[in-house]
Amino acid sequence: MDSIIKIQNINLWYDKGKPSETQALKDINLEIEKGEYVAFFGPSGSGKTSLLYLIAGIDQPQEGKIYINNKDITSVSKKEAAIYRQIGVGIIFQQFNLIPSLTVLANVALPMAFLGISEDKRKIETLKLLERLGIKEMANRYPFELSGGQQQRVGIARALANNPPIILADEPLGNLDSDNAKRVLEFLKELNKKDGRTIIMVTHEAWSLKDVKRIFYLKDGVVTKTENPTPKTVAESLSHHLYQELTPELTSVEVSAQSLAQLFMRGYSIEEIKRFEFFLLERLKNHIDSDIFRRVLDRPFKQNGVGLWRQKAERISRFIDDIIQKRKEIKKVYEELEYNLESPIRDEVEKIRMWLIEDYHGKLSELQNHRLNELIAERLKSIITPERFKKIANKSKKEYGVGLSFRSTQKISEKLEAILRGQEAYPGGIL
Ligand code: ADP
Ligand code: MG
């Protein structure tokens, strides 16, 4: 049989026998094949890291067996265990774990030094690795001189130093921005596909599951389910972990997502808008692709989706794709959306305009209505002051105004400001 890792009836306790005793792993049984790319997925505290450390030979379970290439590493000699840790597995950590006083080159070469490889050969091999990860120029720098993304690439190079067949990555994307996270994911995929390495990635972020072949779900120290992911299952796990990933701090991307959510989801409940906003943010940060985005929008609300009509889900998803492709900046996405989408705000403006000119006696031409709509939209967005609104409304059509009389202008402006102050409501209005 081809299992490179086989875990049998593992039970692991911390502080066993003390009042603080916790059982971190309960009756774990699993097998991973040579060349597989799998994930341990579950919430914080579910036992993912504990399981990884057992597989790495860093820790020992009180009960059970761990076979690596059919050899039980829980009962080999200390020396054999040490060799296994050095050449059998490479570990990538979330916190990078680089040695601050050593250069990048020395950090990566260190595991080779323990194996007694000559200095010249260490240097040659290390530079090859650094080149592969695109950080060769950093060889003589110190970790603190590097960005987070670069440090993580050093961490990966170090994990690969002794050419281990098994790569363990413990939340490798946790400290990275989305571009760097995507790059690391791509690299893990390449290590698996091209180099044929067996990879276990530990994660609690569903979007990082896209390339893995199998997911082991962990909860409270138990493997609750094993699954081969499809875009659908990724969407489901994403929904499932929705609330864990919401963070209270707002950056500008978050703020944009918030505004976009307001625009797209006018008339929906706050819960629905919040949920939409969450997934939109994941999409805008490119954590999820458009297929998964569309699926979660379409999923019923009760099943942790947004519960939109399929057509609306498709339309929004296509629209977001389009602008993400055309323009990278989130702020621009927002602007584009405001101006170009047949967005709900258009309907809103239309309603307001009807309300404003309700007791206007003359008849407005199509051009005048159009310009008045633009003016109202600009006033709503606070791009213009009430004074400027009145001026343009009063200006002649030739001068790109609306061409209303001074008196009508006064009345309309007063009404609009009353709406904006919340003192007056217009029919169906939610402003
Ligand atoms: P995860 O990686 O999924 O967040 P861990 O494997 O780190 O989970 O932790 C599993 C459980 O074991 C948690 O309840 C955690 O508090 C406990 N635990 C982990 N490491 C230790 C330790 N060194 N001493 C005591 N308890 C620990
Ligand atoms: Mg952990």
Side-chain angles (χ1 to χ4, degrees):
M1 83 183 171
D2 253 3
S3 297
I4 190 168
I5 299 166
K6 186 171 170 187
I7 290 176
Q8 271 182 352
N9 306 318
I10 288 290
N11 283 288
L12 174 79
W13 289 264
Y14 290 106
D15 303 333
K16 200 164 195 295
K18 294 187 194 156
S20 57
E21 172 177 311
T22 5
Q23 186 168 5
L25 295 171
K26 295 168 195 162
D27 294 322
I28 306 279
N29 284 283
L30 59 87
E31 284 185 42
I32 294 165
E33 283 175 29
K34 211 169 250 167
E36 249 195 311
Y37 181 4
V38 306
F40 294 164
F41 180 68
S44 182
S46 58
K48 306 182 296 295
T49 297
S50 300
L51 188 51
L52 212 60
Y53 283 4
L54 293 184
I55 293 171
I58 295 173
D59 204 357
Q60 290 261 351
Q62 285 88 357
E63 291 175 10
K65 293 185 183 307
I66 299 165
Y67 296 94
I68 306 290
N69 279 330
N70 296 322
K71 195 158 202 176
D72 180 11
I73 58 161
T74 61
S75 61
V76 294
S77 69
K78 274 214 164 86
K79 197 172 165 206
E80 268 183 295
I83 291 172
Y84 165 67
R85 283 200 300 270
Q86 283 179 55
I87 61 169
V89 285
I91 309 181
I92 301 166
F93 300 91
Q94 176 178 7
Q95 309 294 348
F96 317 142
N97 270 350
L98 303 176
I99 298 175
S101 58
L102 295 181
T103 63
V104 164
L105 191 123
N107 262 286
V108 175
L110 194 64
M112 300 181 201
F114 281 114
L115 286 186
I117 295 171
S118 76
E119 198 176 335
D120 286 352
K121 179 128 197 278
R122 288 196 313 251
K123 193 168 173 188
I124 293 168
E125 293 302 316
T126 299
L127 289 175
K128 268 197 229 163
L129 278 171
L130 293 180
E131 179 154 34
R132 185 167 178 194
L133 283 142
I135 44 170
K136 200 175 163 190
E137 329 73 74
M138 310 285 159
N140 294 317
R141 297 206 192 165
Y142 289 89
F144 71 86
E145 297 176 286
L146 273 55
S147 71
Q150 291 166 336
Q151 288 187 49
Q152 185 55 300
R153 279 184 269 163
V154 178
I156 295 173
R158 187 192 44 194
L160 294 172
N162 289 332
N163 211 10
I166 301 172
I167 305 286
L168 308 174
D170 195 357
E171 313 244 4
L173 315 174
N175 281 327
L176 302 179
D177 59 57
S178 65
D179 279 352
N180 276 308
K182 278 176 77 177
R183 200 174 295 160
V184 168
L185 270 189
E186 279 310 305
F187 194 73
L188 288 178
K189 190 162 118 185
E190 185 187 309
L191 280 178
N192 174 247
K193 280 239 165 78
K194 274 206 198 142
D195 299 24
R197 306 207 200 223
T198 307
I199 301 182
I200 304 177
M201 176 175 58
V202 161
T203 182
H204 68 274
E205 289 166 303
W207 61 271
S208 59
L209 296 172
K210 65 186 182 65
D211 301 318
V212 309
K213 295 288 134 43
R214 240 165 6 131
I215 307 171
F216 296 96
Y217 290 83
L218 270 92
K219 197 168 180 255
D220 301 329
V222 178
V223 174
T224 54
K225 176 164 84 152
T226 308
E227 190 173 56
N228 302 347
T230 59
K232 190 161 166 276
T233 55
V234 175
E236 276 166 22
S237 358
L238 192 60
S239 296
H240 186 68
H241 289 271
L242 175 63
Y243 299 105
Q244 282 178 16
E245 308 213 356
L246 280 174
T247 48
E249 305 101 275
L250 293 180
T251 67
S252 63
V253 188
E254 273 90 6
V255 172
S256 296
Q258 227 172 34
S259 321
L260 289 176
Q262 299 291 340
L263 272 176
F264 275 127
M265 301 288 287
R266 287 257 171 141
Y268 285 78
S269 74
I270 292 184
E271 287 74 25
E272 287 164 326
I273 294 175
K274 280 266 158 248
R275 196 170 286 177
F276 175 82
E277 186 187 316
F278 169 79
F279 290 119
L280 179 62
L281 194 57
E282 291 293 292
R283 178 73 193 108
L284 289 175
K285 287 178 170 173
N286 242 336
H287 286 171
I288 56 176
D289 64 20
S290 82
D291 190 32
I292 289 172
F293 183 56
R294 185 177 48 71
R295 280 169 198 273
V296 288
L297 294 188
D298 189 32
R299 254 172 103 71
F301 190 81
K302 279 199 184 130
Q303 291 169 36
N304 288 323
V306 180
L308 300 181
W309 293 103
R310 173 152 298 168
Q311 272 151 339
K312 179 160 178 160
E314 276 171 7
R315 196 163 51 83
I316 292 179
S317 151
R318 265 203 309 275
F319 188 83
I320 296 288
D321 280 355
D322 231 42
I323 11 189
I324 285 180
Q325 253 198 347
K326 264 194 280 187
R327 314 191 165 210
K328 285 269 142 71
E329 250 181 86
I330 306 300
K331 220 174 101 210
K332 298 229 174 84
V333 173
Y334 180 40
E335 284 167 11
E336 181 118 356
L337 184 73
E338 266 202 309
Y339 286 104
N340 292 347
L341 183 72
E342 279 188 319
S343 68
I345 207 168
R346 296 252 153 154
D347 300 342
E348 222 53 42
V349 165
E350 185 71 21
K351 274 191 215 152
I352 293 174
R353 181 179 58 79
M354 305 284 271
W355 172 244
L356 291 179
I357 60 171
E358 204 181 40
D359 21 61
Y360 180 76
H361 293 304
K363 188 169 160 23
L364 295 176
S365 70
E366 206 175 310
L367 178 69
Q368 283 178 302
N369 280 327
H370 177 71
R371 288 194 182 158
L372 192 50
N373 274 351
E374 281 179 354
L375 258 191
I376 294 167
E378 288 187 349
R379 182 70 198 111
L380 290 186
K381 291 186 240 161
S382 287
I383 294 172
I384 55 172
T385 61
E387 281 61 48
R388 189 151 175 77
F389 178 91
K390 280 189 275 188
K391 243 190 201 137
I392 299 171
N394 185 225
K395 264 195 179 167
S396 74
K397 284 180 272 179
K398 264 201 201 126
E399 291 174 295
Y400 301 102
V402 184
L404 298 177
S405 72
F406 183 74
R407 249 175 58 100
S408 304
T409 302
Q410 285 296 117
K411 265 172 95 174
I412 285 178
S413 169
E414 262 171 41
K415 239 174 144 175
L416 178 58
E417 294 311 310
I419 292 174
L420 291 179
R421 283 192 303 267
Q423 290 168 344
E424 193 159 348
Y426 57 97
I430 36 174
L431 275 176

